[in-house]
């Protein structure tokens, strides 16, 4: 008798599984088009928000100080993830920034000022 109840329970379970469960009403073509267009509009708005933000310019001095700080941090690490070859790359860029800073301090001649 228990066997028959189990069989009936299993049959009922499979019957329930096979039934369609509507979670939303079916959308017509216009509703689908509007839904897709609204998603595109939201994506474009978020892209516009990102592109409208102005990235503040960083002075040579601030860039050089930041890179020096990072190099010091890098040198203090005893972790294998911090590769010495990478450190040389950061030092190279520090030299480039120092050169740019030095060149920006060069005095121009008085004649050059009036000829421009």
């Amino acid at each position: 008798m228990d066997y028959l109840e189990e069989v009936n329970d299993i049959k009922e379970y499979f019957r329930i599984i096979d039934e369609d469960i509507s979670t939303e009403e079916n959308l017509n073509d216009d509703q689908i088009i509007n839904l897709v267009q609204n998603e595109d509009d939201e994506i474009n708005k978020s892209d516009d928000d990102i592109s409208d933000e102005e990235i503040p310019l960083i002075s040579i001095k601030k860039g050089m100080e930041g890179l020096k700080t990072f190099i010091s941090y890098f040198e203090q690490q005893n972790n294998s993830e911090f590769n010495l070859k990478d450190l040389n790359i950061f030092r190279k860029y520090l030299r480039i920034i120092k050169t740019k800073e030095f060149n920006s301090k060069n005095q121009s001649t008085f004649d050059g000022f009036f000829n421009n």
Side-chain angles (χ1 to χ4, degrees), residues 34-68:
N34 286 334
L35 182 66
V36 171
Q37 287 175 342
N38 288 338
E39 287 177 358
D40 287 345
D41 289 344
E42 288 179 26
I43 290 170
N44 290 336
K45 285 179 186 176
S46 66
D47 288 346
D48 290 343
D49 292 344
I50 293 170
S51 63
D52 289 346
E53 294 177 18
E54 287 187 31
I55 300 172
L57 293 177
I58 298 172
S59 68
I60 292 174
K61 184 178 180 180
K62 278 189 172 184
M64 188 168 50
E65 289 171 1
L67 195 50
K68 283 180 182 179

PDB file of all heavy atoms in Angstrom, residues 34-68:
ATOM      1  N   ASN A  34      10.616  48.162 -27.026  1.00  0.00           N
ATOM      2  CA  ASN A  34      10.773  49.216 -26.012  1.00  0.00           C
ATOM      3  C   ASN A  34      11.726  48.783 -24.903  1.00  0.00           C
ATOM      4  O   ASN A  34      12.540  49.580 -24.434  1.00  0.00           O
ATOM      5  CB  ASN A  34       9.418  49.594 -25.411  1.00  0.00           C
ATOM      6  CG  ASN A  34       8.575  50.418 -26.352  1.00  0.00           C
ATOM      7  OD1 ASN A  34       9.100  51.099 -27.221  1.00  0.00           O
ATOM      8  ND2 ASN A  34       7.265  50.349 -26.193  1.00  0.00           N
ATOM      9  N   LEU A  35      11.619  47.541 -24.491  1.00  0.00           N
ATOM     10  CA  LEU A  35      12.489  47.027 -23.440  1.00  0.00           C
ATOM     11  C   LEU A  35      13.950  47.080 -23.873  1.00  0.00           C
ATOM     12  O   LEU A  35      14.824  47.549 -23.131  1.00  0.00           O
ATOM     13  CB  LEU A  35      12.083  45.596 -23.086  1.00  0.00           C
ATOM     14  CG  LEU A  35      12.847  44.911 -21.968  1.00  0.00           C
ATOM     15  CD1 LEU A  35      12.584  45.614 -20.639  1.00  0.00           C
ATOM     16  CD2 LEU A  35      12.451  43.455 -21.874  1.00  0.00           C
ATOM     17  N   VAL A  36      14.233  46.637 -25.088  1.00  0.00           N
ATOM     18  CA  VAL A  36      15.611  46.642 -25.601  1.00  0.00           C
ATOM     19  C   VAL A  36      16.111  48.070 -25.773  1.00  0.00           C
ATOM     20  O   VAL A  36      17.248  48.392 -25.408  1.00  0.00           O
ATOM     21  CB  VAL A  36      15.685  45.865 -26.936  1.00  0.00           C
ATOM     22  CG1 VAL A  36      17.033  46.051 -27.597  1.00  0.00           C
ATOM     23  CG2 VAL A  36      15.392  44.392 -26.705  1.00  0.00           C
ATOM     24  N   GLN A  37      15.267  48.963 -26.301  1.00  0.00           N
ATOM     25  CA  GLN A  37      15.689  50.357 -26.489  1.00  0.00           C
ATOM     26  C   GLN A  37      15.973  51.037 -25.152  1.00  0.00           C
ATOM     27  O   GLN A  37      16.930  51.803 -25.039  1.00  0.00           O
ATOM     28  CB  GLN A  37      14.626  51.137 -27.265  1.00  0.00           C
ATOM     29  CG  GLN A  37      14.583  50.772 -28.725  1.00  0.00           C
ATOM     30  CD  GLN A  37      13.456  51.451 -29.474  1.00  0.00           C
ATOM     31  OE1 GLN A  37      12.489  51.938 -28.875  1.00  0.00           O
ATOM     32  NE2 GLN A  37      13.577  51.499 -30.787  1.00  0.00           N
ATOM     33  N   ASN A  38      15.166  50.757 -24.152  1.00  0.00           N
ATOM     34  CA  ASN A  38      15.405  51.348 -22.833  1.00  0.00           C
ATOM     35  C   ASN A  38      16.709  50.861 -22.233  1.00  0.00           C
ATOM     36  O   ASN A  38      17.437  51.620 -21.599  1.00  0.00           O
ATOM     37  CB  ASN A  38      14.238  51.040 -21.880  1.00  0.00           C
ATOM     38  CG  ASN A  38      12.997  51.825 -22.228  1.00  0.00           C
ATOM     39  OD1 ASN A  38      13.065  52.859 -22.876  1.00  0.00           O
ATOM     40  ND2 ASN A  38      11.847  51.324 -21.813  1.00  0.00           N
ATOM     41  N   GLU A  39      17.032  49.572 -22.436  1.00  0.00           N
ATOM     42  CA  GLU A  39      18.304  49.045 -21.943  1.00  0.00           C
ATOM     43  C   GLU A  39      19.464  49.729 -22.649  1.00  0.00           C
ATOM     44  O   GLU A  39      20.451  50.099 -22.026  1.00  0.00           O
ATOM     45  CB  GLU A  39      18.377  47.530 -22.149  1.00  0.00           C
ATOM     46  CG  GLU A  39      17.506  46.748 -21.200  1.00  0.00           C
ATOM     47  CD  GLU A  39      17.541  45.241 -21.480  1.00  0.00           C
ATOM     48  OE1 GLU A  39      18.211  44.810 -22.442  1.00  0.00           O
ATOM     49  OE2 GLU A  39      16.878  44.515 -20.732  1.00  0.00           O
ATOM     50  N   ASP A  40      19.340  49.937 -23.967  1.00  0.00           N
ATOM     51  CA  ASP A  40      20.393  50.622 -24.724  1.00  0.00           C
ATOM     52  C   ASP A  40      20.553  52.063 -24.245  1.00  0.00           C
ATOM     53  O   ASP A  40      21.672  52.562 -24.121  1.00  0.00           O
ATOM     54  CB  ASP A  40      20.081  50.618 -26.225  1.00  0.00           C
ATOM     55  CG  ASP A  40      20.269  49.245 -26.857  1.00  0.00           C
ATOM     56  OD1 ASP A  40      20.905  48.383 -26.228  1.00  0.00           O
ATOM     57  OD2 ASP A  40      19.767  49.048 -27.992  1.00  0.00           O
ATOM     58  N   ASP A  41      19.432  52.738 -23.986  1.00  0.00           N
ATOM     59  CA  ASP A  41      19.489  54.115 -23.495  1.00  0.00           C
ATOM     60  C   ASP A  41      20.209  54.190 -22.160  1.00  0.00           C
ATOM     61  O   ASP A  41      21.018  55.091 -21.923  1.00  0.00           O
ATOM     62  CB  ASP A  41      18.082  54.706 -23.362  1.00  0.00           C
ATOM     63  CG  ASP A  41      17.429  54.973 -24.719  1.00  0.00           C
ATOM     64  OD1 ASP A  41      18.167  54.981 -25.736  1.00  0.00           O
ATOM     65  OD2 ASP A  41      16.201  55.158 -24.755  1.00  0.00           O
ATOM     66  N   GLU A  42      19.914  53.249 -21.269  1.00  0.00           N
ATOM     67  CA  GLU A  42      20.565  53.239 -19.954  1.00  0.00           C
ATOM     68  C   GLU A  42      22.061  52.997 -20.090  1.00  0.00           C
ATOM     69  O   GLU A  42      22.868  53.619 -19.412  1.00  0.00           O
ATOM     70  CB  GLU A  42      19.929  52.176 -19.056  1.00  0.00           C
ATOM     71  CG  GLU A  42      18.547  52.550 -18.577  1.00  0.00           C
ATOM     72  CD  GLU A  42      17.928  51.475 -17.699  1.00  0.00           C
ATOM     73  OE1 GLU A  42      18.689  50.707 -17.077  1.00  0.00           O
ATOM     74  OE2 GLU A  42      16.689  51.407 -17.634  1.00  0.00           O
ATOM     75  N   ILE A  43      22.449  52.100 -20.983  1.00  0.00           N
ATOM     76  CA  ILE A  43      23.874  51.824 -21.207  1.00  0.00           C
ATOM     77  C   ILE A  43      24.556  53.068 -21.768  1.00  0.00           C
ATOM     78  O   ILE A  43      25.633  53.453 -21.320  1.00  0.00           O
ATOM     79  CB  ILE A  43      24.061  50.616 -22.149  1.00  0.00           C
ATOM     80  CG1 ILE A  43      23.633  49.333 -21.441  1.00  0.00           C
ATOM     81  CG2 ILE A  43      25.503  50.513 -22.632  1.00  0.00           C
ATOM     82  CD1 ILE A  43      23.553  48.122 -22.345  1.00  0.00           C
ATOM     83  N   ASN A  44      23.922  53.730 -22.730  1.00  0.00           N
ATOM     84  CA  ASN A  44      24.505  54.936 -23.328  1.00  0.00           C
ATOM     85  C   ASN A  44      24.608  56.060 -22.311  1.00  0.00           C
ATOM     86  O   ASN A  44      25.579  56.816 -22.313  1.00  0.00           O
ATOM     87  CB  ASN A  44      23.684  55.393 -24.535  1.00  0.00           C
ATOM     88  CG  ASN A  44      23.825  54.450 -25.717  1.00  0.00           C
ATOM     89  OD1 ASN A  44      24.812  53.728 -25.829  1.00  0.00           O
ATOM     90  ND2 ASN A  44      22.840  54.447 -26.594  1.00  0.00           N
ATOM     91  N   LYS A  45      23.613  56.194 -21.425  1.00  0.00           N
ATOM     92  CA  LYS A  45      23.671  57.231 -20.394  1.00  0.00           C
ATOM     93  C   LYS A  45      24.835  56.992 -19.453  1.00  0.00           C
ATOM     94  O   LYS A  45      25.540  57.917 -19.079  1.00  0.00           O
ATOM     95  CB  LYS A  45      22.362  57.264 -19.601  1.00  0.00           C
ATOM     96  CG  LYS A  45      21.214  57.896 -20.338  1.00  0.00           C
ATOM     97  CD  LYS A  45      19.951  57.885 -19.503  1.00  0.00           C
ATOM     98  CE  LYS A  45      18.767  58.392 -20.282  1.00  0.00           C
ATOM     99  NZ  LYS A  45      17.519  58.311 -19.520  1.00  0.00           N
ATOM    100  N   SER A  46      25.048  55.744 -19.066  1.00  0.00           N
ATOM    101  CA  SER A  46      26.155  55.466 -18.152  1.00  0.00           C
ATOM    102  C   SER A  46      27.488  55.696 -18.845  1.00  0.00           C
ATOM    103  O   SER A  46      28.435  56.172 -18.240  1.00  0.00           O
ATOM    104  CB  SER A  46      26.069  54.050 -17.592  1.00  0.00           C
ATOM    105  OG  SER A  46      26.263  53.101 -18.609  1.00  0.00           O
ATOM    106  N   ASP A  47      27.586  55.402 -20.155  1.00  0.00           N
ATOM    107  CA  ASP A  47      28.812  55.676 -20.906  1.00  0.00           C
ATOM    108  C   ASP A  47      29.045  57.176 -21.000  1.00  0.00           C
ATOM    109  O   ASP A  47      30.175  57.643 -20.879  1.00  0.00           O
ATOM    110  CB  ASP A  47      28.744  55.079 -22.315  1.00  0.00           C
ATOM    111  CG  ASP A  47      28.849  53.563 -22.318  1.00  0.00           C
ATOM    112  OD1 ASP A  47      29.231  52.998 -21.271  1.00  0.00           O
ATOM    113  OD2 ASP A  47      28.548  52.951 -23.360  1.00  0.00           O
ATOM    114  N   ASP A  48      27.976  57.948 -21.228  1.00  0.00           N
ATOM    115  CA  ASP A  48      28.105  59.401 -21.305  1.00  0.00           C
ATOM    116  C   ASP A  48      28.559  59.978 -19.980  1.00  0.00           C
ATOM    117  O   ASP A  48      29.364  60.906 -19.940  1.00  0.00           O
ATOM    118  CB  ASP A  48      26.773  60.048 -21.720  1.00  0.00           C
ATOM    119  CG  ASP A  48      26.420  59.753 -23.180  1.00  0.00           C
ATOM    120  OD1 ASP A  48      27.333  59.336 -23.938  1.00  0.00           O
ATOM    121  OD2 ASP A  48      25.245  59.932 -23.556  1.00  0.00           O
ATOM    122  N   ASP A  49      28.024  59.450 -18.883  1.00  0.00           N
ATOM    123  CA  ASP A  49      28.417  59.944 -17.564  1.00  0.00           C
ATOM    124  C   ASP A  49      29.905  59.746 -17.342  1.00  0.00           C
ATOM    125  O   ASP A  49      30.587  60.610 -16.805  1.00  0.00           O
ATOM    126  CB  ASP A  49      27.637  59.220 -16.456  1.00  0.00           C
ATOM    127  CG  ASP A  49      26.156  59.575 -16.464  1.00  0.00           C
ATOM    128  OD1 ASP A  49      25.787  60.586 -17.107  1.00  0.00           O
ATOM    129  OD2 ASP A  49      25.372  58.852 -15.834  1.00  0.00           O
ATOM    130  N   ILE A  50      30.421  58.612 -17.774  1.00  0.00           N
ATOM    131  CA  ILE A  50      31.843  58.326 -17.597  1.00  0.00           C
ATOM    132  C   ILE A  50      32.677  59.245 -18.479  1.00  0.00           C
ATOM    133  O   ILE A  50      33.677  59.796 -18.036  1.00  0.00           O
ATOM    134  CB  ILE A  50      32.143  56.842 -17.921  1.00  0.00           C
ATOM    135  CG1 ILE A  50      31.482  55.948 -16.875  1.00  0.00           C
ATOM    136  CG2 ILE A  50      33.635  56.593 -17.980  1.00  0.00           C
ATOM    137  CD1 ILE A  50      31.521  54.475 -17.224  1.00  0.00           C
ATOM    138  N   SER A  51      32.259  59.452 -19.735  1.00  0.00           N
ATOM    139  CA  SER A  51      33.059  60.256 -20.644  1.00  0.00           C
ATOM    140  C   SER A  51      32.959  61.742 -20.324  1.00  0.00           C
ATOM    141  O   SER A  51      33.842  62.506 -20.686  1.00  0.00           O
ATOM    142  CB  SER A  51      32.645  59.991 -22.094  1.00  0.00           C
ATOM    143  OG  SER A  51      31.304  60.383 -22.300  1.00  0.00           O
ATOM    144  N   ASP A  52      31.896  62.180 -19.666  1.00  0.00           N
ATOM    145  CA  ASP A  52      31.740  63.581 -19.319  1.00  0.00           C
ATOM    146  C   ASP A  52      32.612  63.994 -18.140  1.00  0.00           C
ATOM    147  O   ASP A  52      32.888  65.174 -17.967  1.00  0.00           O
ATOM    148  CB  ASP A  52      30.274  63.898 -18.993  1.00  0.00           C
ATOM    149  CG  ASP A  52      29.399  63.875 -20.243  1.00  0.00           C
ATOM    150  OD1 ASP A  52      29.962  63.882 -21.358  1.00  0.00           O
ATOM    151  OD2 ASP A  52      28.169  63.835 -20.093  1.00  0.00           O
ATOM    152  N   GLU A  53      33.031  63.038 -17.348  1.00  0.00           N
ATOM    153  CA  GLU A  53      33.856  63.360 -16.197  1.00  0.00           C
ATOM    154  C   GLU A  53      35.234  63.794 -16.666  1.00  0.00           C
ATOM    155  O   GLU A  53      35.872  63.121 -17.456  1.00  0.00           O
ATOM    156  CB  GLU A  53      33.993  62.147 -15.271  1.00  0.00           C
ATOM    157  CG  GLU A  53      32.704  61.735 -14.617  1.00  0.00           C
ATOM    158  CD  GLU A  53      32.888  60.483 -13.782  1.00  0.00           C
ATOM    159  OE1 GLU A  53      34.033  60.137 -13.448  1.00  0.00           O
ATOM    160  OE2 GLU A  53      31.862  59.865 -13.469  1.00  0.00           O
ATOM    161  N   GLU A  54      35.654  64.953 -16.190  1.00  0.00           N
ATOM    162  CA  GLU A  54      36.976  65.433 -16.556  1.00  0.00           C
ATOM    163  C   GLU A  54      38.007  64.802 -15.637  1.00  0.00           C
ATOM    164  O   GLU A  54      37.840  64.762 -14.427  1.00  0.00           O
ATOM    165  CB  GLU A  54      37.039  66.952 -16.434  1.00  0.00           C
ATOM    166  CG  GLU A  54      36.288  67.672 -17.516  1.00  0.00           C
ATOM    167  CD  GLU A  54      36.512  69.169 -17.462  1.00  0.00           C
ATOM    168  OE1 GLU A  54      37.598  69.608 -17.041  1.00  0.00           O
ATOM    169  OE2 GLU A  54      35.589  69.883 -17.839  1.00  0.00           O
ATOM    170  N   ILE A  55      39.065  64.326 -16.246  1.00  0.00           N
ATOM    171  CA  ILE A  55      40.158  63.755 -15.469  1.00  0.00           C
ATOM    172  C   ILE A  55      41.097  64.900 -15.135  1.00  0.00           C
ATOM    173  O   ILE A  55      41.599  65.574 -16.031  1.00  0.00           O
ATOM    174  CB  ILE A  55      40.891  62.662 -16.268  1.00  0.00           C
ATOM    175  CG1 ILE A  55      39.912  61.545 -16.622  1.00  0.00           C
ATOM    176  CG2 ILE A  55      42.087  62.145 -15.498  1.00  0.00           C
ATOM    177  CD1 ILE A  55      40.479  60.506 -17.561  1.00  0.00           C
ATOM    178  N   PRO A  56      41.306  65.153 -13.849  1.00  0.00           N
ATOM    179  CA  PRO A  56      42.157  66.281 -13.478  1.00  0.00           C
ATOM    180  C   PRO A  56      43.601  66.040 -13.918  1.00  0.00           C
ATOM    181  O   PRO A  56      44.107  64.924 -13.842  1.00  0.00           O
ATOM    182  CB  PRO A  56      42.042  66.339 -11.960  1.00  0.00           C
ATOM    183  CG  PRO A  56      41.587  64.983 -11.552  1.00  0.00           C
ATOM    184  CD  PRO A  56      40.814  64.419 -12.705  1.00  0.00           C
ATOM    185  N   LEU A  57      44.226  67.102 -14.420  1.00  0.00           N
ATOM    186  CA  LEU A  57      45.622  67.002 -14.826  1.00  0.00           C
ATOM    187  C   LEU A  57      46.506  66.915 -13.593  1.00  0.00           C
ATOM    188  O   LEU A  57      46.280  67.599 -12.604  1.00  0.00           O
ATOM    189  CB  LEU A  57      46.021  68.212 -15.666  1.00  0.00           C
ATOM    190  CG  LEU A  57      45.355  68.319 -17.027  1.00  0.00           C
ATOM    191  CD1 LEU A  57      45.783  69.613 -17.728  1.00  0.00           C
ATOM    192  CD2 LEU A  57      45.705  67.130 -17.898  1.00  0.00           C
ATOM    193  N   ILE A  58      47.497  66.074 -13.681  1.00  0.00           N
ATOM    194  CA  ILE A  58      48.440  65.892 -12.582  1.00  0.00           C
ATOM    195  C   ILE A  58      49.731  66.587 -12.975  1.00  0.00           C
ATOM    196  O   ILE A  58      50.255  66.366 -14.072  1.00  0.00           O
ATOM    197  CB  ILE A  58      48.678  64.395 -12.305  1.00  0.00           C
ATOM    198  CG1 ILE A  58      47.360  63.744 -11.897  1.00  0.00           C
ATOM    199  CG2 ILE A  58      49.752  64.199 -11.250  1.00  0.00           C
ATOM    200  CD1 ILE A  58      47.416  62.251 -11.772  1.00  0.00           C
ATOM    201  N   SER A  59      50.230  67.398 -12.092  1.00  0.00           N
ATOM    202  CA  SER A  59      51.457  68.127 -12.385  1.00  0.00           C
ATOM    203  C   SER A  59      52.645  67.166 -12.414  1.00  0.00           C
ATOM    204  O   SER A  59      52.591  66.060 -11.874  1.00  0.00           O
ATOM    205  CB  SER A  59      51.696  69.205 -11.329  1.00  0.00           C
ATOM    206  OG  SER A  59      52.001  68.605 -10.081  1.00  0.00           O
ATOM    207  N   ILE A  60      53.724  67.620 -13.069  1.00  0.00           N
ATOM    208  CA  ILE A  60      54.941  66.803 -13.128  1.00  0.00           C
ATOM    209  C   ILE A  60      55.436  66.520 -11.718  1.00  0.00           C
ATOM    210  O   ILE A  60      55.836  65.398 -11.399  1.00  0.00           O
ATOM    211  CB  ILE A  60      56.029  67.523 -13.961  1.00  0.00           C
ATOM    212  CG1 ILE A  60      55.606  67.578 -15.427  1.00  0.00           C
ATOM    213  CG2 ILE A  60      57.368  66.828 -13.834  1.00  0.00           C
ATOM    214  CD1 ILE A  60      56.532  68.394 -16.308  1.00  0.00           C
ATOM    215  N   LYS A  61      55.372  67.544 -10.877  1.00  0.00           N
ATOM    216  CA  LYS A  61      55.871  67.396  -9.504  1.00  0.00           C
ATOM    217  C   LYS A  61      55.084  66.324  -8.746  1.00  0.00           C
ATOM    218  O   LYS A  61      55.673  65.453  -8.103  1.00  0.00           O
ATOM    219  CB  LYS A  61      55.787  68.735  -8.773  1.00  0.00           C
ATOM    220  CG  LYS A  61      56.359  68.708  -7.379  1.00  0.00           C
ATOM    221  CD  LYS A  61      56.296  70.074  -6.739  1.00  0.00           C
ATOM    222  CE  LYS A  61      56.866  70.022  -5.337  1.00  0.00           C
ATOM    223  NZ  LYS A  61      56.832  71.306  -4.668  1.00  0.00           N
ATOM    224  N   LYS A  62      53.742  66.354  -8.842  1.00  0.00           N
ATOM    225  CA  LYS A  62      52.917  65.362  -8.147  1.00  0.00           C
ATOM    226  C   LYS A  62      53.149  63.964  -8.716  1.00  0.00           C
ATOM    227  O   LYS A  62      53.210  62.979  -7.979  1.00  0.00           O
ATOM    228  CB  LYS A  62      51.434  65.713  -8.248  1.00  0.00           C
ATOM    229  CG  LYS A  62      50.974  66.717  -7.250  1.00  0.00           C
ATOM    230  CD  LYS A  62      49.469  66.826  -7.301  1.00  0.00           C
ATOM    231  CE  LYS A  62      48.970  67.681  -6.171  1.00  0.00           C
ATOM    232  NZ  LYS A  62      47.516  67.733  -6.141  1.00  0.00           N
ATOM    233  N   GLY A  63      53.273  63.871 -10.040  1.00  0.00           N
ATOM    234  CA  GLY A  63      53.527  62.579 -10.666  1.00  0.00           C
ATOM    235  C   GLY A  63      54.856  62.000 -10.211  1.00  0.00           C
ATOM    236  O   GLY A  63      54.959  60.808  -9.915  1.00  0.00           O
ATOM    237  N   MET A  64      55.870  62.863 -10.140  1.00  0.00           N
ATOM    238  CA  MET A  64      57.191  62.410  -9.720  1.00  0.00           C
ATOM    239  C   MET A  64      57.170  61.974  -8.260  1.00  0.00           C
ATOM    240  O   MET A  64      57.721  60.931  -7.909  1.00  0.00           O
ATOM    241  CB  MET A  64      58.220  63.539  -9.918  1.00  0.00           C
ATOM    242  CG  MET A  64      59.640  63.108  -9.680  1.00  0.00           C
ATOM    243  SD  MET A  64      60.882  64.297 -10.225  1.00  0.00           S
ATOM    244  CE  MET A  64      60.339  65.810  -9.502  1.00  0.00           C
ATOM    245  N   GLU A  65      56.497  62.728  -7.397  1.00  0.00           N
ATOM    246  CA  GLU A  65      56.412  62.359  -5.984  1.00  0.00           C
ATOM    247  C   GLU A  65      55.687  61.026  -5.813  1.00  0.00           C
ATOM    248  O   GLU A  65      56.098  60.175  -5.018  1.00  0.00           O
ATOM    249  CB  GLU A  65      55.695  63.456  -5.198  1.00  0.00           C
ATOM    250  CG  GLU A  65      56.505  64.722  -5.028  1.00  0.00           C
ATOM    251  CD  GLU A  65      55.693  65.872  -4.434  1.00  0.00           C
ATOM    252  OE1 GLU A  65      54.487  65.675  -4.140  1.00  0.00           O
ATOM    253  OE2 GLU A  65      56.258  66.951  -4.278  1.00  0.00           O
ATOM    254  N   GLY A  66      54.597  60.845  -6.560  1.00  0.00           N
ATOM    255  CA  GLY A  66      53.842  59.600  -6.477  1.00  0.00           C
ATOM    256  C   GLY A  66      54.663  58.409  -6.938  1.00  0.00           C
ATOM    257  O   GLY A  66      54.643  57.338  -6.325  1.00  0.00           O
ATOM    258  N   LEU A  67      55.410  58.598  -8.020  1.00  0.00           N
ATOM    259  CA  LEU A  67      56.236  57.508  -8.526  1.00  0.00           C
ATOM    260  C   LEU A  67      57.374  57.188  -7.571  1.00  0.00           C
ATOM    261  O   LEU A  67      57.694  56.021  -7.345  1.00  0.00           O
ATOM    262  CB  LEU A  67      56.775  57.866  -9.914  1.00  0.00           C
ATOM    263  CG  LEU A  67      57.357  56.734 -10.746  1.00  0.00           C
ATOM    264  CD1 LEU A  67      56.425  55.539 -10.818  1.00  0.00           C
ATOM    265  CD2 LEU A  67      57.687  57.222 -12.145  1.00  0.00           C
ATOM    266  N   LYS A  68      57.953  58.206  -6.961  1.00  0.00           N
ATOM    267  CA  LYS A  68      59.003  57.971  -5.960  1.00  0.00           C
ATOM    268  C   LYS A  68      58.443  57.173  -4.781  1.00  0.00           C
ATOM    269  O   LYS A  68      59.085  56.233  -4.301  1.00  0.00           O
ATOM    270  CB  LYS A  68      59.574  59.304  -5.443  1.00  0.00           C
ATOM    271  CG  LYS A  68      60.527  59.974  -6.379  1.00  0.00           C
ATOM    272  CD  LYS A  68      61.025  61.275  -5.747  1.00  0.00           C
ATOM    273  CE  LYS A  68      61.960  62.033  -6.637  1.00  0.00           C
ATOM    274  NZ  LYS A  68      62.405  63.299  -6.026  1.00  0.00           N
TER     275      LYS A  68
END
